[in-house]
Amino acid sequence: YALIDGALVAREWAVDPADLSELRGFALAASGDDLFLHGVDGLGNIHQLSKMGDAFVRGPVLLSAFDGWSSAENPTVLYFQEHTVVVVETGGALEGKVRGPQTTGSWVALEGLLEVSAGMHHPSLIVQGGVYQLHAARSRGARTEIALLASDRLLGWRNITDRALEGSGTSRA
């Protein structure tokens, strides 16, 4: 979908199948007027495809597995205040990295995220009211609930699920 003259309109964009080869867990992100599609390969590298006209074209690796983690699934990418934030599933929890002016252009781990995200998967990161909000699914037996983690400056995360979004649904295949 695209916002055109204040209305949400269904849009289709072309992607060369060769650009998608070996990628999975896609996520769409915006930075200003630019759109990006992100996917992860079998090595844990996060790839970025940039929107060029009516198509997405594969560009360089956004985050190499060597800079981040050895296994990664379902990336979410956020561009906010000249920073790039990446959160992925890694072995039953969530891990993240940030890069921007305050990190002198280097990827730096998101502190405290791994400790509060056990059992979480399929992350989605947004900013609302200046607060980073990380929504993720969390499985507990046959139940799946939505978990909500929050961080003011990416320097620590708190689980606010009980106060915000307690889920009651069941997992479905």
Side-chain angles (χ1 to χ4, degrees), residues 36-151:
F36 302 98
L37 186 63
H38 300 93
V40 63
D41 66 21
L43 300 174
N45 298 310
I46 308 296
H47 293 264
Q48 176 173 288
L49 290 84
S50 302
K51 184 177 169 295
M52 304 280 191
D54 285 336
F56 281 94
V57 178
R58 191 166 176 171
V61 170
L62 175 66
L63 177 57
S64 166
F66 299 108
D67 293 325
W69 32 76
S70 59
S71 97
E73 296 290 331
N74 299 312
T76 182
V77 179
L78 175 72
Y79 299 97
F80 182 67
Q81 296 181 340
E82 300 181 45
H83 286 81
T84 303
V85 185
V86 177
V87 176
V88 297
E89 295 175 30
T90 60
L94 304 177
E95 291 187 56
K97 298 274 186 179
V98 60
R99 177 179 70 183
Q102 293 181 353
T103 68
T104 62
S106 299
W107 287 104
V108 175
L110 296 180
E111 296 176 21
L113 181 58
L114 184 63
E115 293 79 9
V116 297
S117 65
M120 294 183 188
H121 51 94
H122 292 86
S124 177
L125 182 63
I126 63 170
V127 174
Q128 178 135 0
V131 175
Y132 294 89
Q133 296 181 1
L134 181 57
H135 299 84
R138 178 173 49 197
S139 299
R140 291 189 175 181
R143 292 173 41 115
T144 298
E145 63 185 11
I146 297 172
L148 177 59
L149 305 176
S151 178

Side-chain angles (χ1 to χ4, degrees), residues 1 13 28-37 49-51 56:
Y1 290 90
W13 291 292
L28 189 64
S31 177
D33 292 334
D34 298 324
L35 282 177
F36 302 98
L37 186 63
L49 290 84
S50 302
K51 184 177 169 295
F56 281 94

Side-chain angles (χ1 to χ4, degrees), residues 159-172:
N159 188 334
I160 60 172
T161 302
D162 294 336
R163 292 177 288 191
L165 297 173
E166 190 64 34
S168 61
T170 57
S171 298
R172 294 194 176 122

